Amino acid sequence: AKRVVIKVGTSTLVYPDGSINLRAIDQLAFVISAMRHRGREVVLVSSGAIGVGLNYMGLKQRPKAIPEQQAIAAIGQTELVSIYKERFAIYEQKIGQVLLTRDIFVYPKSHKNVLNTFEALMQQNVIPIVNENDTVAVDELDHETKFGDNDQLSAIVATNIGADLLIMLSDIDGFYNGNPNADAKAQLLSHVEQVDQQTYELAGGSGSRFGTGGMVTKLKAAERMIKADGQMILANGEDPAIIFQIIAGEPVGTLFG
Ligand code: ADP
């Protein structure tokens, strides 16, 4: 896989107490710059805007109203990207922020504009850092629908830019045959070749305080990758250096496809 998309969840970036996990962000910058040196093109899809925004504003909880959440996301996104910029600079890497909505690939003109931007960024050795544009689309914020999320966005980006590997980092070691938070006997599945109705039945809801996606959206992302003849690896992002093991082909987490 020359082109790789890495998606990090809020649980990787923000501690349960709401403070920012700078060590994890630093590890991410380190591992991604090492991948760049080895000739790989990497796109980072990062959640965490709300979590970082809450911390920045000194709030303990997400506001209920969607517009207030959008404001927190706008504030947090600014802070998060500035942290990324600083940490990537330590490893002599430049970043560019790309804010997308999932429907852009539906419209031919915006589809082309987005692809052009990705290509131009990567041609200049700049690492695209992608998030959903929460000002424009509120799906991710809306707990009722839980439709939108960076899990699916990361797969949409991967398949459109021709990345055949999506590395999805979460707060869990991989995909289990039951929700490990609810079922102590649930076992990690190291390889899932197909995502179908049976697979979805093994997934429960979101486990983390700030996380929104849960396992269902990760399975949807995996399904999309497999349909495009790609693969997805779900692994624990607690230590992002796990990416070194993944690209070395060591069996960690769950391989989909
Ligand atoms: P992130 O913030 O990284 O996107 P989420 O909290 O949204 O993570 O989703 C991961 C959570 O999904 C896990 O912590 C776990 O509680 C839950 N989950 C539900 N079903 C499963 C399953 N079958 N295997 C693994 N995790 C599961």
Side-chain angles (χ1 to χ4, degrees), residues 7-13 47-48 140 149-151 168-182 186-189 199-219 234-235 237 254:
K7 189 259 168 181
V8 283
T10 303
S11 50
T12 300
L13 304 169
S47 297
E140 185 178 35
D149 59 90
N150 276 332
D151 292 338
M168 181 144 330
L169 299 182
S170 184
D171 61 350
I172 194 103
D173 287 340
F175 181 63
Y176 289 71
N177 60 2
N179 184 351
N181 287 338
Q187 285 181 334
L188 185 105
L189 304 172
T199 325
Y200 283 105
E201 277 160 23
L202 304 176
S206 167
S208 66
R209 186 158 80 106
F210 297 115
T212 48
M215 203 40 63
V216 171
T217 52
K218 289 172 180 54
L219 292 179
L234 174 66
T254 302

Side-chain angles (χ1 to χ4, degrees), residues 46-254:
S46 176
S47 297
I50 293 248
V52 171
L54 291 175
N55 180 63
Y56 188 80
M57 297 301 280
L59 298 171
K60 281 269 171 272
Q61 270 171 355
R62 253 176 201 258
K64 285 218 167 53
I66 297 282
E68 283 174 44
Q69 292 189 35
Q70 290 175 279
I72 297 292
I75 296 160
Q77 178 68 18
T78 309
E79 176 65 4
L80 181 60
V81 166
S82 100
I83 295 170
Y84 275 127
K85 179 176 169 280
E86 183 190 290
R87 298 287 153 156
F88 272 96
I90 295 170
Y91 303 104
E92 293 163 346
Q93 300 294 327
K94 293 189 172 81
I95 63 159
Q97 172 179 247
V98 177
L99 294 176
L100 300 176
T101 50
R102 273 162 305 124
D103 61 2
I104 37 112
F105 293 113
V106 173
Y107 305 104
K109 185 134 185 264
S110 46
H111 186 158
K112 194 162 174 291
N113 290 339
V114 172
L115 292 187
N116 288 345
T117 306
F118 274 114
E119 293 304 330
L121 283 169
M122 289 190 279
Q123 213 147 52
Q124 292 169 80
N125 294 315
V126 175
I127 299 161
I129 300 201
V130 181
N131 190 13
E132 185 147 73
N133 188 335
D134 291 327
T135 305
V136 176
V138 297
D139 298 347
E140 185 178 35
L141 304 178
D142 192 346
H143 280 263
E144 301 290 273
T145 64
K146 269 189 184 168
F147 261 138
D149 59 90
N150 276 332
D151 292 338
Q152 290 186 81
L153 180 67
S154 62
I156 291 170
V157 167
T159 52
N160 277 283
I161 65 169
D164 53 11
L165 178 63
L166 169 60
I167 298 175
M168 181 144 330
L169 299 182
S170 184
D171 61 350
I172 194 103
D173 287 340
F175 181 63
Y176 289 71
N177 60 2
N179 184 351
N181 287 338
D183 175 7
K185 285 194 293 254
Q187 285 181 334
L188 185 105
L189 304 172
S190 55
H191 192 185
V192 174
E193 276 172 65
Q194 284 297 333
V195 176
D196 51 28
Q197 200 45 48
Q198 271 177 307
T199 325
Y200 283 105
E201 277 160 23
L202 304 176
S206 167
S208 66
R209 186 158 80 106
F210 297 115
T212 48
M215 203 40 63
V216 171
T217 52
K218 289 172 180 54
L219 292 179
K220 284 186 184 165
E223 195 181 347
R224 192 182 285 270
M225 291 305 295
I226 294 170
K227 275 209 184 97
D229 285 325
Q231 293 182 318
M232 182 179 111
I233 293 174
L234 174 66
N236 199 325
E238 191 179 0
D239 182 3
I242 197 168
I243 295 170
F244 282 122
Q245 286 165 265
I246 293 171
I247 55 178
E250 290 173 32
V252 288
T254 302

